[in-house]
Amino acid sequence: AAGAAGAAGAGPTQVTVSETKIASLPKHGGLRSALNESSDGRYLSVGYVSPDNPEVHRIAAIEVETGKVTTAAEVSFPVSHVQWSWTRPDLILFARTYPEGDRVPEKIDPAAGPRSRVWQVDLSGKPAWPVFPQRPGELATHECWWTEDRFTFCGGHHPHESHLKVYDLKTKRISILGAGSWWPAGTSAEITRRAWWHAA
């Protein structure tokens, strides 16, 4: 309405903007995610690197009302894609970054333990945990919360193959929502054109 009145020649409009500082971000050696809001609006989260030890990566939970900053997760590997659940205001999904990328190599050191890109942490104080182990050669990437305690991600088991999948936290079941394609003689460009990427 103000814009319409101004356009009709009623004179310039005036806008007042105020801002409130919620909290100071923790001292860090680099942010690893954007700010993300919990489903009830109570918290913001952000991933960052410890300034005194670049091997330590943390996820902060910032209470909007009080400005209190707590550490939701502290891990020894790089994190990214930090995002609160759409339905559970205490649950955060995040990605573990591996040097080799999001597809597990065909040959991995068994002593290194299972590989899992997708991790979770809640606000109970217990350590973060991997959601599902990836098999040798398996891709998991671009995870995103969906409905009813489920999240989608892109993944497959063959080179360049990527289906749109959904993981159900209640049943621990993985289903294919949108099938990509793979065939032995397909080139990487041909298969990639028939795959799913950045699904949300």
Side-chain angles (χ1 to χ4, degrees):
T13 59
Q14 183 175 348
V15 176
T16 302
V17 176
S18 62
E19 61 182 43
T20 302
K21 178 179 176 179
I22 296 172
S24 295
L25 289 176
K27 291 182 180 179
H28 58 84
L31 294 180
R32 296 290 302 176
S33 74
L35 286 170
N36 187 251
E37 185 180 35
S38 62
S39 61
D40 61 359
R42 182 176 175 186
Y43 291 98
L44 297 171
S45 67
V46 67
Y48 65 98
V49 180
S50 173
D52 53 341
N53 185 349
E55 301 301 316
V56 176
H57 298 256
R58 294 185 174 95
I59 296 173
I62 304 164
E63 191 170 29
V64 174
E65 184 70 26
T66 66
K68 181 181 178 183
V69 180
T70 57
T71 299
E74 182 176 298
V75 294
S76 60
F77 51 80
V79 302
S80 64
H81 282 210
V82 178
Q83 50 186 311
W84 292 93
S85 164
W86 292 359
T87 53
R88 289 184 49 189
D90 67 325
L91 187 61
I92 298 172
L93 187 75
F94 67 97
R96 175 176 181 171
T97 304
Y98 289 93
E100 305 89 359
D102 300 329
R103 188 181 296 277
V104 177
E106 289 290 347
K107 294 183 179 180
I108 55 175
D109 180 6
R115 290 277 300 257
S116 179
R117 172 185 163 92
V118 184
W119 285 63
Q120 290 179 331
V121 69
D122 59 25
L123 300 182
S124 67
K126 67 181 178 181
W129 62 91
V131 177
F132 67 92
Q134 292 168 243
R135 299 176 189 159
E138 183 178 6
L139 171 71
T141 189
H142 301 320
E143 60 289 326
C144 179
W145 282 111
W146 199 29
T147 59
E148 300 173 353
D149 293 333
R150 297 177 293 176
F151 64 86
T152 62
F153 68 100
C154 295
H157 293 273
H158 298 290
H160 315 292
E161 174 191 54
S162 182
H163 306 292
L164 172 59
K165 298 184 176 185
V166 60
Y167 184 94
D168 190 318
L169 293 182
K170 297 186 182 87
T171 64
K172 313 297 185 200
R173 181 177 176 179
I174 297 174
S175 305
I176 294 176
L177 293 178
S181 296
W182 182 86
W183 60 103
T187 67
S188 62
E190 289 172 327
I191 296 171
T192 299
R193 278 198 299 271
R194 291 163 176 80
W196 290 83
W197 307 104
H198 286 271

